[in-house]
Amino acid sequence: MSEPPPPFRRTDLPVELRVDDLLGRMTLEEKIDQLHQCGASDTNPNNLALRPDAFRPTYGSFIVGGSPAVLEVRNACQRRVVTESRLGIPAVFAADVIHGYRALAPLPLAQACTWDPELVRRGCALAAAEARAQGIDWTFAPMVDHCVDARWGRIAETFGESPHAASAFSAASVRGFQGEQLGGRDSVAACLKHYVGYGASEGGRDYVYTGISPQSLWEMHLPPFEAGIRAGARTVMSGFNDLNGVPASANQYTLTEILRRRWGLTGPVVSDWDSVVQLVNQGFAADDAEAAEKAFTAGLDIDMSSGLYRDHLAAHVAAGRVTLAAVDEAVRRVLRLKFELGLFERPYAEANALTDAAPDPGQFALLEELAARSLVLLKNDGVLPLAASARRIALLGPLAADSAPLLGCWAQYGQPAETQSIAQALKERLPAGVQLRVEQGCSIQGAASDNPAAAVEVARESDLVILCVGEDGPMSGENASRTTLRLAGRQEELVQAVAATGKPIVLVLVSGRPLELAAFEGKMSAIVAAWAGGTRAAAALADTLLGRRNPSGRLAVTWPRTTGQIPLYHNMRPRGRGGDQGAYRDMPTTPLYEFAHGLGYTTFGYGALRLDRTEVKPDGRLVAEVTVTNTGACEGVETVFWFIRDPAASITRPLKELKHFEQASLAPGASRVFRFAIEPRRDLSFPDDDGRSVLEPGEIILLVGGQSASFRVTR
Ligand code: BGC
């Protein structure tokens, strides 16, 4: 007779019972190893899969990535873990699947410009399916940091400057990654990062101090995390940043008080890469041992990469500085995640049709939709869509024929060879008889081979120029801060020289951030923010330039005129003096393009804003409506943005705050009524500096489509 399985192996028992049973069997060392996370890559010199001595089979989690054979490495590690450890507790394998795996969607900032959370959810679901096919159980995404400084390279990974919008995209991404149920075939655990405040890095530098008032923390930085947790996100990653003097990876208030006590997160919090050992560099811990103690007692469960929990926690427990109960609680969170992921039943990942497969036409269609919908037509004097009369087109600039930059940052699994360049996509689509001449003119960052004159020559012999400038992948994302948003290398010189030919120019910007255009914007006929649009960026762009798609993206960030205007964002507080008092002396104080700006090939007319009442009680409901009509000649998607302004409150409120958005595709001549059903407690309250919700009687101004109306909240 074989032994019955221990309770923790029994799928008929509730997860909590299985967790308790397993915990009861573990030694302290085994528990602490569950809180250790390290890298596993077969291209790494410390190759874990091939060098079994490099890790103990009791380690809890691994990061797979940067390796061409993720599935094999993952399963090889898992085999050691499962077969060589006493209890056979499977490891969980994580990776940075940020905007796709091999099939790359646009960068998150670009995705936010679609204003379509459902579309974003579908993109994340595709990424999850691809990641699962490589054995990845857990993605370090979505990134939901709040940032209003485009010098910070990681603005590319954010969902823009509106906490309301970022919350919607946070929840949508979590649903996309995790699917219906954790442990499902196409589901990976989501990880909200970087908790919290990392996006306020001083001066746009990375890894530095963030001074955030408690008010801003609650209003701007915390909401997208809360929304992600409400949507079911199982895990959170703590940030690198020193938050007001107490680093985010050792911050008891944010990690324990807010995350656990108030929001009830039951899954683990993982540190960012080495952020525990960095507490020493930050001056918050005297040495490694103290760093481990401070991070752990603040509420950080898993130590990514630094190894300080592994090396110091046991001594802290022996000395009574860390309680066994706290260790148990942290381990419980890790085990819970593993049970929920089904790892005990299915420790090994199996290859499927998606493993190592090139994206198929269905995936292409979704990626093209995401890329096209994220394009923002910033300016157009009528040159777009391209007219049939343009017979000789010059396609110029460093981004014209290079496909790799279209993938953006966090594209380690992307394949430039599977990604069309803009030149290829245009060639495929231009009607016979149209001549397309391609000339780079200069490189992105500047090189000895730069030759703007060659591009100018081609421009002169053309009817129209499409000029593709911007950034390559590594110029945005982590550790990619810049002091200026100006074009790098000799690109600005190229733009000016081509503009001097007098030919109409369609400027295409490929980037992970808004760029500084002030010096030449007036000379451009059209400007398209194409961002880094992913695997199908070029197809989406070409279709848009040719009028086969009608652009509908709207900016999720304010686009400044110059770098010196940073920070500039729509939800600023009003200033004390009006008129030109306090305005810049050397240029307008307004942005080049406002938040939510974006043009298309059709026009929309807004009817009068209507409210169903002029007073509403805190638990009442007020319905605002506006009829929108497509007044142009082609079908188009219109996004209706509803803002509020609270003109007098006990805590000052922003000039305007986005509270609701909705979109629809309208045929020419068609109308649709858009509604915002306002529930005061949900839509009109604001947090105080400890997160308590405040709703005050008084006037509220509602803004939509250039109109406003006011109503009162009564007692
Ligand atoms: C980044 C995280 C990422 C982690 C693991 C860190 O350097 O800040 O966003 O998830 O590395 O790769």
Side-chain angles (χ1 to χ4, degrees), residues 99 104-107 110 367-368 370-372 374-375 405-408 510-511 530-538 540:
H99 56 112
L104 286 159
L107 293 169
L367 298 179
E368 274 174 39
L370 272 156
S374 67
L375 292 179
L406 301 176
L407 299 179
V510 173
S511 67
W531 312 107
T535 308
R536 296 301 288 170

Side-chain angles (χ1 to χ4, degrees), residues 96 140 154 193-194 237 240 272-273 304 410 478:
D96 289 284
F140 293 138
R154 304 200 82 167
K193 70 185 188 185
H194 307 83
M237 182 187 295
F240 285 125
D272 204 347
W273 186 274
M304 182 197 291
W410 293 111
E478 186 177 354

